[in-house]
């Protein structure tokens, strides 16, 4: 099993550009989520999904969109990048319930100029 | 929403020393997990421990749910233990809320 994979590992954008961060898991997990990590702030939840076709907002959803068309994939879209979105982004998945052990991807380091 | 506070924010140890990290949370929870983020940024789940005590090698954790705290014990610390330790909780079965972490530095 590859676990949770994320692409790209690094990305530099200009203000106003759009892009999609990819996340995939091969553990047949129902629950997937996106976090951002900023210095001194810990991890903050952006969006999460409890299954294919179902998504919901987390603590800091503004400026981000998600969709979940398959169990395996959970992409995060930045529609119009802003410097405030410079951060490290982590995707995570867990089993039948959110209470189960969380598995994290390696992260994507995004810089918005 | 639920608040998660970790202490101390920073900890510096010599190799071989023991340490205790604390996580306080402001409301009842049905999920508590400890994570280690290594210096390369990878997040590893250490314990899923909404209550009780668990041990895994040199690491152990105790959660006293009625008093709203959890402790992570590291014994005989090694340089590879360096990194940031996060506590995360959830009460609604929807999302984990993370503390700001404890940064541990172990020197040889």
């Amino acid at each position: 099993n590859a676990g949770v994979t994320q692409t790209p590992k690094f990305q530099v954008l200009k203000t106003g550009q759009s892009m999609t961060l990819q996340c995939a898991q091969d553990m047949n997990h129902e629950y997937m989520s996106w976090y951002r990590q900023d210095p001194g702030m810990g991890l903050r939840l952006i969006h999460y999904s409890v299954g294919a076709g179902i998504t919901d907002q987390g603590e800091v959803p503004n400026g981000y969109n998600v969709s979940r068309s398959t169990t395996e994939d959970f992409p995060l879209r930045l529609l119009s990048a802003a410097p405030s979105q410079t951060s490290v982004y982590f995707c995570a998945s867990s089993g039948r319930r959110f209470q189960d052990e969380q598995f994290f991807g390696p992260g994507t380091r995004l810089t918005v100029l | 929403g639920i608040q998660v506070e970790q202490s101390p924010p920073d900890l510096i140890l010599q190799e071989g020393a023991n340490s205790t990290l604390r996580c306080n949370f402001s409301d009842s929870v049905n999920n508590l997990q400890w994570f280690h983020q290594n210096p390369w940024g990878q997040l590893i789940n250490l314990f899923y421990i909404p209550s009780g005590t668990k041990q895994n090698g040199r690491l152990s954790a105790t959660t006293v749910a009625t008093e709203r705290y959890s402790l992570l014990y590291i014994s005989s610390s090694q340089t590879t233990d360096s990194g940031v330790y996060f506590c995360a909780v959830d009460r609604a079965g929807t999302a984990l809320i993370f503390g700001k972490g404890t940064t541990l530095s172990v020197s040889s």
Side-chain angles (χ1 to χ4, degrees):
Chain A
N1 285 351
V4 180
T5 58
Q6 292 183 236
T7 56
K9 286 186 169 51
F10 301 94
Q11 183 70 50
V12 179
L13 292 177
K14 294 181 180 178
T15 296
Q17 287 184 315
S18 63
M19 79 158 297
T20 300
L21 308 185
Q22 300 292 344
C23 174
Q25 53 90 10
D26 61 0
M27 297 172 282
N28 202 32
H29 284 169
E30 289 187 9
Y31 289 77
M32 297 186 73
S33 50
W34 277 102
Y35 294 86
R36 60 177 288 173
Q37 184 177 25
D38 302 297
M41 297 293 291
L43 280 80
R44 293 181 292 170
L45 182 67
I46 305 171
H47 285 285
Y48 66 94
S49 168
V50 300
I54 306 171
T55 64
D56 207 345
Q57 297 180 349
E59 298 174 79
V60 288
N62 292 342
Y64 307 95
N65 278 356
V66 292
S67 60
R68 184 98 179 268
S69 56
T70 67
T71 300
E72 294 78 20
D73 300 298
F74 191 42
L76 178 72
R77 297 183 185 85
L78 284 71
L79 300 178
S80 179
S84 60
Q85 294 178 303
T86 294
S87 188
V88 181
Y89 291 85
F90 288 95
C91 178
S93 74
S94 61
R96 293 175 295 109
R97 300 172 305 157
F98 220 102
Q99 291 92 327
D100 288 347
E101 179 183 349
Q102 290 270 299
F103 294 88
F104 280 84
T108 294
R109 187 174 293 274
L110 176 67
T111 301
V112 183
L113 303 175
Chain B
I2 194 166
Q3 304 295 316
V4 182
E5 293 185 0
Q6 293 186 241
S7 60
D10 301 284
L11 191 56
I12 300 174
L13 299 175
Q14 285 285 106
E15 206 168 23
N18 302 329
S19 61
T20 301
L21 283 59
R22 188 177 180 102
C23 172
N24 292 333
F25 42 96
S26 61
D27 207 340
S28 59
V29 298
N30 54 20
N31 179 7
L32 187 145
Q33 301 187 29
W34 283 96
F35 296 87
H36 175 224
Q37 186 170 38
N38 64 27
W40 296 271
Q42 181 66 41
L43 280 155
I44 305 297
N45 190 296
L46 298 175
F47 293 105
Y48 166 65
I49 185 167
S51 63
T53 297
K54 290 187 178 180
Q55 181 155 7
N56 184 2
R58 296 180 297 102
L59 273 59
S60 64
T62 295
T63 297
V64 183
T66 53
E67 297 187 22
R68 300 181 185 168
Y69 73 89
S70 183
L71 302 174
L72 178 68
Y73 305 97
I74 305 174
S75 64
S76 303
S77 58
Q78 301 175 357
T79 55
T80 52
D81 295 330
S82 296
V84 185
Y85 290 82
F86 290 104
C87 167
V89 304
D90 168 60
R91 65 181 303 238
T94 53
L96 285 177
I97 304 300
F98 281 75
K100 294 185 178 180
T102 292
T103 300
L104 175 63
S105 299
V106 182
S107 58
S108 57

